[in-house]
Amino acid sequence: ICLFVFTLHFRVVAPFKFSLEDTSKFGVDDSEDAENEDELEDEDELEDEDELDDEELEDDEFLESDLPLETLRNWGQYGDLAVAFPLVIQNLTNYSGLINGHKADSEHITFKFGNPKDDEELLYDKVSGFFTVLHESMEGQDGPLYCPRHSMKHIKECLVIASCLLQSQVPTYVEMPMYASMIELLDRFIEEGWPLVQRGLLKEEHYHLATLDEEVPTKYQCDAFSHPHSFVAHLQESEDSNSAMAMSMVLAQKSHATHEILDSHRHNMSVEETIRRVMEVWSPLCLKAQTFSCDESNWWHIHYASHGQTMALMQTGSAAALRAEIRTRLALERRVKAFMREHHMVFGGFLQQSAREGTAGDYFDYNKRSEVSVVTWKSYGQAGKEAMLRFVVPYSRAVAAVNETRAMVWFDQVEFGKFQQDELNRGNRDLELSEMEEVVDAADRMSSSRALLAVRETSEESEESEESEESEES
């Protein structure tokens, strides 16, 4: 959810125009109310500084001014990484679908898969910007050492390293909901998307994957709470039994027990009996849970409702506990789905008995989760989306103010170029020919980074100004 929202934020929602006089400046609004819009976000600090001259600064003058790099530290040590991280996962997810044939017939896809060398080079291009940012974020020469470019076996490892570096910024600089969204994206890609990337390359003729994925070096590990036993040991004895931390421990224990039950199921055993054993594990939870409410009759209801517990856990400020709970939940979700696939014939029979309420088959019936639990799950996603925007939007503007080319490192250059052209065409679809020529000419004279900033800063303002012009004409 956060990835799509973040991407859509940069879409042009109304036609935008650049005058030839303004092409030497960026993000300039002529109105008095927006005179200082391109200055830094922190207005309290700016009140103590001298006012900028009335004349707008040229690019070179702006970069040579005393605009402090210290300002970017308001977003922590790894601001660039926090923006590049979800973008690279989106790039890799798109790649995994394309190389396996999904959406490969789209008219917008110009790259032809099938040549192992070219396909692997495209993969490296998709992560190149992320690796640049990651290298700057790691100590000394650790970047090239642990995350060398053009090395497929290091990509998965380096995504995990990035997530651990970002964890150190939670919650001081990176909000807990934003970090939760990052871990959701990371875990799903690592466990599901990355194997698809590998499979897509391996199925190509003459391609050989020489080695397995590298392990994360000890100094960059942060998954000490991945297993229930470690998590239980971490919990303080004085912890309130009704607290979010205590409930997180309970969920970890019950998830572990469910894994053991499903793993112990054998071919000649009753699926219905195995489900009843799982029901016995989870049924006491809904009676005692204080941080969220659930219906013990359906596992998917419990699964969706547990996102309410995760939102409660966010209030503790413990990023490690949050990471553990999310990964534990997703691991169990995958295991339950795998169990249902393994015994799809049996579950198909359960659907035929849907009129019999209260059967064991209803317990894993996805369609019988309650709407209340779905609302809780959506609220969880919305919280992550809003936190992502609260970080990305002001940070990207602050970066562009300090160094307008720096933000371009975050993006996949090839695809972003296509995006820019598409948005330019869409925004000027209804313009007169002469106006369109002026816009294209102005855009051509602008650097790609300045175009990014101008689009971002003027998208909403353009819509508002056009509406006011129409009202004045009427």
Side-chain angles (χ1 to χ4, degrees):
I1 294 174
C2 289
L3 276 175
F4 286 116
V5 172
F6 171 63
T7 305
L8 290 174
H9 175 74
F10 294 103
R11 296 190 62 181
V12 181
V13 297
F16 57 93
K17 304 177 183 179
F18 302 104
S19 67
L20 295 180
E21 292 81 1
D22 288 338
T23 56
S24 62
K25 307 174 181 67
F26 64 93
V28 176
D29 193 318
D30 292 329
S31 66
E32 293 181 359
D33 292 337
E35 181 178 347
N36 296 322
E37 186 172 348
D38 291 310
E39 297 176 23
L40 302 180
E41 294 289 311
D42 194 340
E43 295 181 0
D44 292 336
E45 292 182 4
L46 287 179
E47 289 177 359
D48 297 331
E49 297 177 4
D50 294 335
E51 295 279 329
L52 288 175
D53 294 337
D54 292 335
E55 297 182 359
E56 296 160 340
L57 295 175
E58 299 286 343
D59 281 354
D60 291 341
E61 294 174 346
F62 189 85
L63 293 176
E64 292 173 2
S65 67
D66 295 329
L67 191 64
L69 290 173
E70 291 286 336
T71 305
L72 297 183
R73 295 181 183 175
N74 293 336
W75 286 270
Q77 186 177 357
Y78 306 122
D80 287 350
L81 190 61
V83 177
F85 183 77
L87 288 175
V88 73
I89 293 181
Q90 182 183 27
N91 281 345
L92 290 171
T93 301
N94 291 340
Y95 181 92
S96 70
L98 292 172
I99 197 170
N100 285 282
H102 305 299
K103 303 179 182 178
D105 296 331
S106 171
E107 61 180 357
H108 301 293
I109 306 300
T110 57
F111 184 85
K112 300 300 181 182
F113 287 90
N115 184 310
K117 183 178 179 180
D118 292 344
D119 294 350
E120 193 169 338
E121 285 300 318
L122 179 63
L123 174 64
Y124 299 145
D125 178 65
K126 296 300 179 185
V127 300
S128 61
F130 165 74
F131 269 53
T132 297
V133 174
L134 181 60
H135 285 186
E136 294 178 354
S137 303
M138 298 173 72
E139 297 179 4
Q141 294 300 310
D142 284 356
L145 176 63
Y146 296 123
C147 297
R149 299 177 185 274
H150 295 82
S151 176
M152 182 176 174
K153 68 178 183 178
H154 287 89
I155 293 177
K156 175 181 173 181
E157 164 204 3
C158 296
L159 289 173
V160 176
I161 290 176
S163 72
C164 290
L165 290 174
L166 290 170
Q167 180 170 309
S168 68
Q169 305 294 286
V170 182
T172 306
Y173 299 108
V174 175
E175 294 181 46
M176 290 282 275
M178 177 178 174
Y179 183 67
S181 296
M182 290 178 172
I183 298 305
E184 294 272 357
L185 294 169
L186 173 68
D187 188 272
R188 292 185 185 278
F189 176 75
I190 291 296
E191 301 297 337
E192 300 173 24
W194 184 243
L196 289 177
V197 172
Q198 293 178 311
R199 187 180 71 180
L201 288 169
L202 286 171
K203 72 180 182 181
E204 295 188 349
E205 188 176 1
H206 306 307
Y207 184 85
H208 301 285
L209 185 61
T211 58
L212 299 176
D213 293 325
E214 290 289 326
E215 296 294 328
V216 178
T218 303
K219 67 184 296 185
Y220 290 107
Q221 290 179 1
C222 61
D223 269 339
F225 307 109
S226 294
H227 305 289
H229 297 298
S230 299
F231 188 71
V232 172
H234 174 72
L235 191 67
Q236 298 295 322
E237 294 182 0
S238 60
E239 192 73 53
D240 182 357
S241 61
N242 293 330
S243 71
M245 288 290 288
M247 181 54 63
S248 194
M249 177 194 70
V250 172
L251 290 173
Q253 291 173 328
K254 292 187 178 298
S255 297
H256 181 68
T258 305
H259 277 283
E260 290 185 332
I261 292 172
L262 298 182
D263 292 345
S264 66
H265 184 84
R266 296 295 179 263
H267 182 68
N268 60 346
M269 297 175 64
S270 168
V271 172
E272 196 164 353
E273 181 59 32
T274 298
I275 294 175
R276 285 199 174 93
R277 291 175 60 196
V278 174
M279 293 174 67
E280 291 174 359
V281 170
W282 291 93
S283 59
L285 177 68
C286 296
L287 300 176
K288 300 179 179 180
Q290 299 293 321
T291 57
F292 71 106
S293 59
C294 58
D295 180 0
E296 64 181 82
S297 65
N298 184 270
W299 183 85
W300 287 105
H301 175 97
I302 299 174
H303 174 75
Y304 275 72
S306 69
H307 290 80
Q309 146 64 22
T310 306
M311 286 191 284
L313 186 63
M314 291 176 186
Q315 305 305 314
T316 68
S318 175
L322 181 66
R323 183 188 185 102
E325 181 166 295
I326 292 172
R327 299 203 65 193
T328 298
R329 178 172 52 234
L330 292 176
L332 184 59
E333 176 188 323
R334 286 189 293 271
R335 186 63 188 93
V336 168
K337 288 180 178 179
F339 180 77
M340 296 177 70
R341 287 195 300 269
E342 292 166 7
H343 305 284
H344 62 276
M345 296 296 292
V346 177
F347 282 96
F350 288 152
L351 293 176
Q352 302 296 325
Q353 306 170 8
S354 58
R356 293 171 52 195
E357 294 293 336
T359 63
D362 291 338
Y363 191 67
F364 282 144
D365 189 341
Y366 182 83
N367 295 318
K368 294 192 175 181
R369 71 197 190 282
S370 72
E371 184 62 29
V372 174
S373 66
V374 176
V375 170
T376 300
W377 170 69
K378 289 182 177 179
S379 297
Y380 170 81
Q382 181 70 18
K385 160 190 167 181
E386 293 173 355
M388 184 77 75
L389 290 177
R390 280 195 296 271
F391 185 99
V392 169
V393 175
Y395 180 74
S396 59
R397 287 172 176 168
V399 168
V402 174
N403 184 343
E404 62 177 5
T405 61
R406 176 172 169 177
M408 295 302 296
V409 177
W410 306 331
F411 297 91
D412 167 38
Q413 297 299 296
V414 175
E415 293 305 318
F416 184 71
K418 295 178 183 178
F419 166 79
Q420 278 187 294
Q421 188 59 48
D422 288 344
E423 293 302 318
L424 185 63
N425 294 339
R426 182 181 294 108
N428 295 288
R429 186 173 297 156
D430 299 325
L431 294 180
E432 296 293 335
L433 179 61
S434 60
E435 292 177 312
M436 186 177 295
E437 290 176 350
E438 178 182 347
V439 171
V440 172
D441 180 62
D444 287 342
R445 293 175 57 184
M446 299 174 69
S447 67
S448 58
S449 57
R450 186 182 303 162
L452 165 66
L453 183 63
V455 169
R456 182 184 306 163
E457 294 290 340
T458 60
S459 59
E460 295 181 359
E461 286 80 2
S462 297
E463 186 177 35
E464 294 175 357
S465 62
E466 288 188 357
E467 290 177 354
S468 63
E469 289 176 3
E470 291 177 356
S471 62
E472 291 176 359
E473 292 176 357
S474 61

